[in-house]
Amino acid sequence: MSDTAGEAALSDLDRAVINAFQGGFPVVERPFEPAAAALRERGIDVTADELVERVRDLDEAGTLSRFGALVNAEEIGGTATLVAMHAPEERFEEVAEAVNAHREVAHNYEREHPHLNMWFVVSVADEDRVEEVLAEIEAETGQETYNLPKQEEFRVEAKFLVDGPIADGDVDRSDLGPDVTPEGRKTLTPAERDLVVEIQGGLPITATPYADVADAIGQDTECVVERIKRFEREGKVRRVGVVPNHYALGYTENGMTVWDVPDDRLATVGPAVASLPFVTHCYHRPRHEGVWPYNFFAMTHGRSEAESDRRIERVRETMEAHWDVDDGDWDTLFSTRILKKTGIRLDERAAANTE
Protein backbone atom coordinates (compact mmCIF):
# COMPACT_ATOMS: atom_id res chain seq x y z
CA MET A 1 0.00 0.00 0.00
CA SER A 2 1.35 3.37 -0.91
CA ASP A 3 1.32 6.54 1.15
CA THR A 4 -1.48 9.02 0.73
CA ALA A 5 -1.27 12.71 1.50
CA GLY A 6 -2.94 12.03 4.84
CA GLU A 7 -0.31 9.49 5.81
CA ALA A 8 2.73 11.36 4.54
CA ALA A 9 3.14 13.55 7.64
CA LEU A 10 2.97 10.64 10.10
CA SER A 11 6.09 9.61 12.00
CA ASP A 12 6.99 5.98 12.67
CA LEU A 13 5.70 6.44 16.22
CA ASP A 14 2.41 7.85 14.92
CA ARG A 15 2.03 4.85 12.63
CA ALA A 16 2.83 2.42 15.42
CA VAL A 17 0.24 4.06 17.70
CA ILE A 18 -2.45 4.01 15.01
CA ASN A 19 -1.82 0.37 14.11
CA ALA A 20 -1.25 -0.98 17.61
CA PHE A 21 -4.07 0.55 19.58
CA GLN A 22 -7.24 0.38 17.52
CA GLY A 23 -8.36 -2.19 20.06
CA GLY A 24 -7.07 -3.93 23.15
CA PHE A 25 -5.98 -0.90 25.16
CA PRO A 26 -5.38 -1.60 28.86
CA VAL A 27 -8.20 -0.86 31.30
CA VAL A 28 -6.10 -0.03 34.34
CA GLU A 29 -5.72 3.20 36.31
CA ARG A 30 -2.55 4.29 34.41
CA PRO A 31 -3.05 2.55 31.03
CA PHE A 32 -0.37 4.37 29.05
CA GLU A 33 2.42 2.74 31.04
CA PRO A 34 1.69 -0.87 29.97
CA ALA A 35 0.71 0.40 26.51
CA ALA A 36 4.12 2.05 26.09
CA ALA A 37 5.79 -1.12 27.40
CA ALA A 38 3.95 -3.14 24.74
CA LEU A 39 5.33 -0.82 22.05
CA ARG A 40 8.85 -1.10 23.45
CA GLU A 41 8.52 -4.89 23.21
CA ARG A 42 7.89 -4.38 19.49
CA GLY A 43 10.93 -2.15 19.04
CA ILE A 44 9.22 1.24 19.41
CA ASP A 45 11.16 3.34 21.94
CA VAL A 46 8.57 5.44 23.78
CA THR A 47 7.73 6.36 27.35
CA ALA A 48 4.24 6.56 28.83
CA ASP A 49 4.37 10.37 28.89
CA GLU A 50 5.49 10.50 25.26
CA LEU A 51 2.70 8.13 24.28
CA VAL A 52 0.09 10.32 25.95
CA GLU A 53 1.47 13.32 24.08
CA ARG A 54 1.44 11.55 20.70
CA VAL A 55 -2.13 10.32 21.11
CA ARG A 56 -3.21 13.82 22.14
CA ASP A 57 -1.43 15.38 19.14
CA LEU A 58 -2.99 12.89 16.73
CA ASP A 59 -6.41 13.63 18.20
CA GLU A 60 -5.97 17.40 17.97
CA ALA A 61 -4.72 17.12 14.38
CA GLY A 62 -7.85 15.21 13.37
CA THR A 63 -5.94 12.03 12.53
CA LEU A 64 -7.97 10.35 15.26
CA SER A 65 -11.70 10.74 15.66
CA ARG A 66 -11.25 10.08 19.36
CA PHE A 67 -9.50 7.95 21.98
CA GLY A 68 -11.49 5.77 24.31
CA ALA A 69 -14.21 3.16 24.52
CA LEU A 70 -16.27 2.28 21.45
CA VAL A 71 -19.70 1.85 22.99
CA ASN A 72 -22.02 -0.75 21.45
CA ALA A 73 -25.24 1.27 21.28
CA GLU A 74 -27.37 -1.81 20.64
CA GLU A 75 -26.42 -3.21 24.06
CA ILE A 76 -27.06 0.10 25.85
CA GLY A 77 -30.74 0.39 24.93
CA GLY A 78 -33.09 1.45 22.17
CA THR A 79 -32.43 0.52 18.57
CA ALA A 80 -31.05 1.76 15.27
CA THR A 81 -31.89 0.82 11.72
CA LEU A 82 -30.62 1.46 8.20
CA VAL A 83 -33.09 3.07 5.81
CA ALA A 84 -32.93 3.56 2.05
CA MET A 85 -35.01 5.88 -0.11
CA HIS A 86 -35.15 7.53 -3.50
CA ALA A 87 -34.62 11.28 -3.68
CA PRO A 88 -35.46 12.68 -7.15
CA GLU A 89 -32.50 14.53 -8.62
CA GLU A 90 -34.41 17.79 -8.98
CA ARG A 91 -35.52 17.62 -5.33
CA PHE A 92 -32.50 15.95 -3.80
CA GLU A 93 -31.41 18.83 -1.57
CA GLU A 94 -34.97 19.46 -0.42
CA VAL A 95 -35.45 15.81 0.52
CA ALA A 96 -32.07 15.67 2.26
CA GLU A 97 -32.93 18.73 4.32
CA ALA A 98 -36.25 17.20 5.41
CA VAL A 99 -34.60 13.89 6.38
CA ASN A 100 -31.73 15.56 8.21
CA ALA A 101 -34.09 17.78 10.19
CA HIS A 102 -35.14 14.70 12.18
CA ARG A 103 -32.97 14.47 15.27
CA GLU A 104 -33.40 10.69 15.16
CA VAL A 105 -31.42 10.59 11.90
CA ALA A 106 -27.81 10.04 12.99
CA HIS A 107 -26.08 9.52 9.64
CA ASN A 108 -27.13 10.20 6.07
CA TYR A 109 -25.17 9.41 2.90
CA GLU A 110 -25.73 9.93 -0.78
CA ARG A 111 -24.81 6.68 -2.55
CA GLU A 112 -24.45 5.67 -6.17
CA HIS A 113 -27.55 3.71 -7.16
CA PRO A 114 -30.02 4.25 -10.01
CA HIS A 115 -32.96 4.37 -7.60
CA LEU A 116 -32.09 4.17 -3.89
CA ASN A 117 -29.64 7.05 -3.67
CA MET A 118 -30.14 8.18 -0.05
CA TRP A 119 -29.16 5.99 2.90
CA PHE A 120 -29.60 7.03 6.51
CA VAL A 121 -29.57 5.60 10.03
CA VAL A 122 -32.45 6.17 12.44
CA SER A 123 -31.54 5.83 16.12
CA VAL A 124 -34.25 5.88 18.79
CA ALA A 125 -34.70 5.12 22.47
CA ASP A 126 -38.06 3.42 21.85
CA GLU A 127 -38.18 0.83 19.07
CA ASP A 128 -41.78 1.79 18.20
CA ARG A 129 -40.55 5.26 17.27
CA VAL A 130 -38.81 3.93 14.12
CA GLU A 131 -42.04 3.50 12.18
CA GLU A 132 -43.29 6.88 13.38
CA VAL A 133 -40.14 8.63 12.12
CA LEU A 134 -40.32 6.88 8.75
CA ALA A 135 -44.00 7.77 8.39
CA GLU A 136 -43.17 11.42 9.12
CA ILE A 137 -40.36 11.42 6.54
CA GLU A 138 -42.62 9.86 3.91
CA ALA A 139 -45.34 12.44 4.58
CA GLU A 140 -42.88 15.33 4.39
CA THR A 141 -41.01 14.17 1.27
CA GLY A 142 -43.61 12.17 -0.64
CA GLN A 143 -41.01 9.41 -1.02
CA GLU A 144 -41.30 5.83 0.19
CA THR A 145 -38.76 4.58 2.73
CA TYR A 146 -37.34 1.06 2.89
CA ASN A 147 -36.43 -0.12 6.37
CA LEU A 148 -33.44 -2.49 6.46
CA PRO A 149 -32.94 -3.47 10.12
CA LYS A 150 -30.03 -5.68 11.04
CA GLN A 151 -31.18 -9.28 11.34
CA GLU A 152 -27.79 -10.80 12.09
CA GLU A 153 -24.40 -9.23 12.72
CA PHE A 154 -21.37 -11.10 11.42
CA ARG A 155 -18.71 -8.44 11.97
CA VAL A 156 -18.27 -4.90 13.23
CA GLU A 157 -14.56 -4.12 13.46
CA ALA A 158 -13.56 -0.96 11.65
CA LYS A 159 -9.75 -1.05 11.72
CA PHE A 160 -7.78 1.19 9.40
CA LEU A 161 -4.10 0.29 9.28
CA VAL A 162 -1.27 2.31 7.76
CA ASP A 163 2.18 1.43 6.41
CA GLY A 164 4.82 1.21 9.09
CA PRO A 165 5.56 -0.56 12.37
CA ILE A 166 3.13 -3.16 13.71
CA ALA A 167 1.53 -3.38 10.28
CA ASP A 168 -0.82 -6.19 11.33
CA GLY A 169 -2.26 -4.17 14.22
CA ASP A 170 -1.87 -7.17 16.50
CA VAL A 171 -1.01 -5.55 19.84
CA ASP A 172 -3.72 -6.49 22.34
CA ARG A 173 -3.46 -5.63 26.03
CA SER A 174 -7.12 -6.12 26.82
CA ASP A 175 -5.94 -8.84 29.20
CA LEU A 176 -4.88 -6.05 31.56
CA GLY A 177 -7.55 -4.93 33.95
CA PRO A 178 -9.62 -6.17 36.88
CA ASP A 179 -11.07 -9.67 36.96
CA VAL A 180 -14.78 -9.01 36.52
CA THR A 181 -17.86 -11.15 35.99
CA PRO A 182 -20.57 -10.21 33.46
CA GLU A 183 -23.89 -9.52 35.16
CA GLY A 184 -26.28 -10.31 32.33
CA ARG A 185 -28.62 -7.39 33.01
CA LYS A 186 -30.18 -5.71 29.98
CA THR A 187 -30.98 -2.50 31.87
CA LEU A 188 -28.54 0.07 33.27
CA THR A 189 -28.18 1.39 36.76
CA PRO A 190 -28.07 5.19 37.16
CA ALA A 191 -24.31 4.98 37.79
CA GLU A 192 -23.81 2.94 34.61
CA ARG A 193 -25.94 5.40 32.64
CA ASP A 194 -23.83 8.31 33.85
CA LEU A 195 -20.67 6.45 32.86
CA VAL A 196 -21.96 5.64 29.36
CA VAL A 197 -22.93 9.26 28.74
CA GLU A 198 -19.54 10.50 29.97
CA ILE A 199 -17.41 8.13 27.84
CA GLN A 200 -19.49 8.04 24.65
CA GLY A 201 -17.42 10.79 23.03
CA GLY A 202 -14.08 9.44 24.20
CA LEU A 203 -11.80 9.37 27.22
CA PRO A 204 -9.61 12.24 28.42
CA ILE A 205 -6.14 11.88 26.89
CA THR A 206 -4.18 12.01 30.12
CA ALA A 207 -2.02 9.64 32.13
CA THR A 208 -5.11 8.76 34.22
CA PRO A 209 -8.15 8.84 31.88
CA TYR A 210 -10.35 6.56 33.98
CA ALA A 211 -9.68 8.57 37.15
CA ASP A 212 -10.55 11.76 35.26
CA VAL A 213 -13.85 10.21 34.15
CA ALA A 214 -14.53 9.14 37.75
CA ASP A 215 -13.94 12.70 38.95
CA ALA A 216 -16.26 14.10 36.27
CA ILE A 217 -19.21 11.93 37.32
CA GLY A 218 -18.53 11.70 41.03
CA GLN A 219 -17.69 8.02 41.10
CA ASP A 220 -14.83 5.98 42.51
CA THR A 221 -11.94 5.30 40.09
CA GLU A 222 -11.84 1.61 40.94
CA CYS A 223 -15.56 1.30 40.17
CA VAL A 224 -15.17 3.10 36.83
CA VAL A 225 -12.31 0.81 35.79
CA GLU A 226 -14.28 -2.28 36.81
CA ARG A 227 -17.43 -1.12 35.01
CA ILE A 228 -15.63 -0.37 31.75
CA LYS A 229 -13.88 -3.75 31.87
CA ARG A 230 -17.21 -5.46 32.63
CA PHE A 231 -18.83 -3.53 29.77
CA GLU A 232 -16.14 -5.03 27.49
CA ARG A 233 -16.98 -8.54 28.71
CA GLU A 234 -20.71 -7.95 28.32
CA GLY A 235 -20.42 -6.45 24.83
CA LYS A 236 -21.57 -2.99 25.88
CA VAL A 237 -18.12 -1.76 24.87
CA ARG A 238 -16.75 -3.27 21.67
CA ARG A 239 -13.16 -2.23 22.39
CA VAL A 240 -11.04 0.47 23.98
CA GLY A 241 -8.36 2.26 21.99
CA VAL A 242 -7.71 4.88 19.35
CA VAL A 243 -10.37 5.47 16.70
CA PRO A 244 -8.78 6.77 13.49
CA ASN A 245 -10.39 9.29 11.20
CA HIS A 246 -10.23 7.01 8.18
CA TYR A 247 -10.70 9.91 5.76
CA ALA A 248 -7.60 11.58 7.24
CA LEU A 249 -5.67 8.37 6.60
CA GLY A 250 -6.80 8.35 2.98
CA TYR A 251 -9.50 5.68 3.21
CA THR A 252 -11.86 7.63 0.98
CA GLU A 253 -13.27 4.77 -1.13
CA ASN A 254 -16.25 3.64 0.94
CA GLY A 255 -17.94 0.73 -0.86
CA MET A 256 -21.10 -0.90 0.45
CA THR A 257 -21.30 -4.24 -1.35
CA VAL A 258 -24.74 -5.87 -1.35
CA TRP A 259 -25.54 -9.46 -2.27
CA ASP A 260 -28.55 -11.64 -2.98
CA VAL A 261 -27.28 -14.65 -1.04
CA PRO A 262 -29.40 -17.82 -1.01
CA ASP A 263 -31.02 -17.93 2.42
CA ASP A 264 -29.67 -21.41 3.14
CA ARG A 265 -26.08 -20.19 2.58
CA LEU A 266 -26.13 -17.18 4.91
CA ALA A 267 -24.86 -19.15 7.90
CA THR A 268 -21.68 -20.13 6.05
CA VAL A 269 -21.20 -17.05 3.86
CA GLY A 270 -21.50 -14.61 6.76
CA PRO A 271 -18.54 -15.86 8.82
CA ALA A 272 -16.45 -16.39 5.67
CA VAL A 273 -16.83 -12.81 4.48
CA ALA A 274 -16.49 -11.49 8.03
CA SER A 275 -13.08 -13.17 8.26
CA LEU A 276 -11.66 -10.88 5.55
CA PRO A 277 -9.57 -8.32 7.48
CA PHE A 278 -10.62 -5.34 5.35
CA VAL A 279 -14.38 -5.93 5.79
CA THR A 280 -15.41 -3.52 8.53
CA HIS A 281 -19.15 -4.27 8.77
CA CYS A 282 -21.02 -7.39 7.70
CA TYR A 283 -24.77 -7.94 8.20
CA HIS A 284 -27.83 -9.90 7.14
CA ARG A 285 -30.69 -7.49 6.33
CA PRO A 286 -34.15 -8.01 4.78
CA ARG A 287 -35.00 -7.78 1.09
CA HIS A 288 -37.82 -5.58 -0.25
CA GLU A 289 -39.61 -7.43 -3.03
CA GLY A 290 -39.59 -5.66 -6.37
CA VAL A 291 -37.29 -2.89 -5.13
CA TRP A 292 -34.35 -4.30 -3.21
CA PRO A 293 -33.30 -7.94 -3.85
CA TYR A 294 -30.21 -8.00 -1.60
CA ASN A 295 -30.09 -9.57 1.86
CA PHE A 296 -26.37 -9.37 2.71
CA PHE A 297 -24.24 -6.24 3.26
CA ALA A 298 -20.44 -6.09 3.49
CA MET A 299 -18.69 -2.74 3.88
CA THR A 300 -15.18 -2.28 2.53
CA HIS A 301 -12.85 0.73 2.54
CA GLY A 302 -9.87 1.50 0.32
CA ARG A 303 -7.26 4.22 -0.07
CA SER A 304 -7.55 4.23 -3.84
CA GLU A 305 -10.05 3.07 -6.41
CA ALA A 306 -7.72 0.24 -7.38
CA GLU A 307 -7.34 -0.95 -3.78
CA SER A 308 -11.09 -0.77 -3.29
CA ASP A 309 -11.69 -2.78 -6.46
CA ARG A 310 -9.22 -5.46 -5.32
CA ARG A 311 -10.95 -5.77 -1.97
CA ILE A 312 -14.40 -6.03 -3.52
CA GLU A 313 -13.07 -8.72 -5.84
CA ARG A 314 -11.83 -10.64 -2.78
CA VAL A 315 -15.34 -10.49 -1.33
CA ARG A 316 -16.75 -11.82 -4.60
CA GLU A 317 -14.21 -14.68 -4.67
CA THR A 318 -15.15 -15.58 -1.11
CA MET A 319 -18.82 -15.57 -2.06
CA GLU A 320 -18.17 -17.81 -5.08
CA ALA A 321 -16.61 -20.44 -2.84
CA HIS A 322 -20.05 -20.95 -1.29
CA TRP A 323 -22.59 -20.34 -4.06
CA ASP A 324 -22.84 -19.56 -7.80
CA VAL A 325 -22.67 -15.77 -8.08
CA ASP A 326 -24.01 -14.09 -11.22
CA ASP A 327 -23.39 -10.46 -12.13
CA GLY A 328 -27.00 -9.64 -11.28
CA ASP A 329 -26.66 -11.06 -7.78
CA TRP A 330 -24.67 -8.19 -6.32
CA ASP A 331 -23.82 -4.51 -6.53
CA THR A 332 -21.52 -1.94 -4.93
CA LEU A 333 -22.89 1.38 -3.71
CA PHE A 334 -20.13 3.94 -3.23
CA SER A 335 -20.85 6.94 -1.04
CA THR A 336 -20.53 10.20 -2.94
CA ARG A 337 -21.42 12.64 -0.17
CA ILE A 338 -21.92 12.76 3.60
CA LEU A 339 -25.26 14.51 4.13
CA LYS A 340 -25.35 14.26 7.92
CA LYS A 341 -23.16 12.69 10.59
CA THR A 342 -24.06 13.51 14.18
CA GLY A 343 -23.63 10.10 15.75
CA ILE A 344 -25.95 7.96 17.83
CA ARG A 345 -27.64 9.78 20.74
CA LEU A 346 -26.55 7.37 23.43
CA ASP A 347 -27.66 9.66 26.26
CA GLU A 348 -31.32 9.31 25.29
CA ARG A 349 -31.09 5.58 24.67
CA ALA A 350 -29.23 4.95 27.93
CA ALA A 351 -31.67 7.09 29.92
CA ALA A 352 -34.67 5.20 28.56
CA ASN A 353 -33.05 1.90 29.57
CA THR A 354 -32.10 2.89 33.11
CA GLU A 355 -33.69 1.09 36.05
Side-chain angles (χ1 to χ4, degrees), residues 108-339:
N108 191 4
Y109 289 84
E110 180 181 10
R111 291 190 177 276
E112 294 177 344
H113 188 267
H115 183 61
L116 299 180
N117 56 353
M118 187 174 292
W119 293 75
F120 54 93
V121 172
V122 172
S123 172
V124 293
D126 180 355
E127 188 172 349
D128 293 340
R129 178 69 180 136
V130 170
E131 292 305 320
E132 294 174 359
V133 172
L134 298 188
E136 291 167 7
I137 288 174
E138 290 184 352
E140 293 162 4
T141 64
Q143 301 299 129
E144 189 169 359
T145 60
Y146 300 94
N147 191 7
L148 297 161
K150 175 176 61 178
Q151 298 187 319
E152 186 171 1
E153 175 184 299
F154 295 105
R155 179 187 176 99
V156 178
E157 189 176 9
K159 287 191 174 182
F160 299 95
L161 303 178
V162 294
D163 295 331
I166 317 179
D168 293 331
D170 56 349
V171 172
D172 184 354
R173 298 320 312 265
S174 59
D175 58 313
L176 297 179
D179 185 14
V180 296
T181 302
E183 295 185 357
R185 282 183 291 106
K186 291 298 184 182
T187 57
L188 301 173
T189 67
E192 289 172 337
R193 175 204 60 212
D194 292 346
L195 177 58
V196 167
V197 172
E198 182 66 24
I199 68 174
Q200 66 174 322
L203 294 171
I205 307 175
T206 68
T208 56
Y210 306 114
D212 294 342
V213 167
D215 287 344
I217 58 178
Q219 295 183 19
D220 181 76
T221 299
E222 183 178 356
C223 289
V224 165
V225 169
E226 288 179 353
R227 285 190 181 113
I228 291 177
K229 175 53 70 174
R230 177 165 54 80
F231 282 177
E232 271 194 309
R233 298 275 174 85
E234 293 172 343
K236 292 182 176 69
V237 166
R238 293 189 184 275
R239 58 187 179 273
V240 179
V242 300
V243 180
N245 175 352
H246 61 279
Y247 292 104
L249 297 181
Y251 283 91
T252 56
E253 297 295 317
N254 167 351
M256 186 173 73
T257 66
V258 293
W259 309 80
D260 182 12
V261 177
D263 291 338
D264 62 354
R265 301 300 173 91
L266 282 169
T268 53
V269 167
V273 173
S275 71
L276 297 172
F278 51 81
V279 171
T280 60
H281 300 76
C282 188
Y283 303 115
H284 169 207
R285 297 186 185 275
R287 303 178 178 93
H288 282 269
E289 187 175 355
V291 178
W292 185 253
Y294 309 110
N295 63 338
F296 189 90
F297 290 60
M299 183 70 72
T300 67
H301 297 263
R303 290 182 287 179
S304 68
E305 187 175 340
E307 182 178 66
S308 181
D309 288 345
R310 288 194 300 270
R311 291 180 169 185
I312 291 169
E313 178 61 18
R314 286 277 307 281
V315 176
R316 189 185 65 80
E317 290 170 355
T318 302
M319 288 282 184
E320 286 185 331
H322 297 276
W323 58 289
D324 294 329
V325 181
D326 292 330
D327 288 345
D329 291 333
W330 68 286
D331 198 357
T332 302
L333 281 66
F334 287 100
S335 64
T336 55
R337 190 163 37 133
I338 300 173
L339 303 171

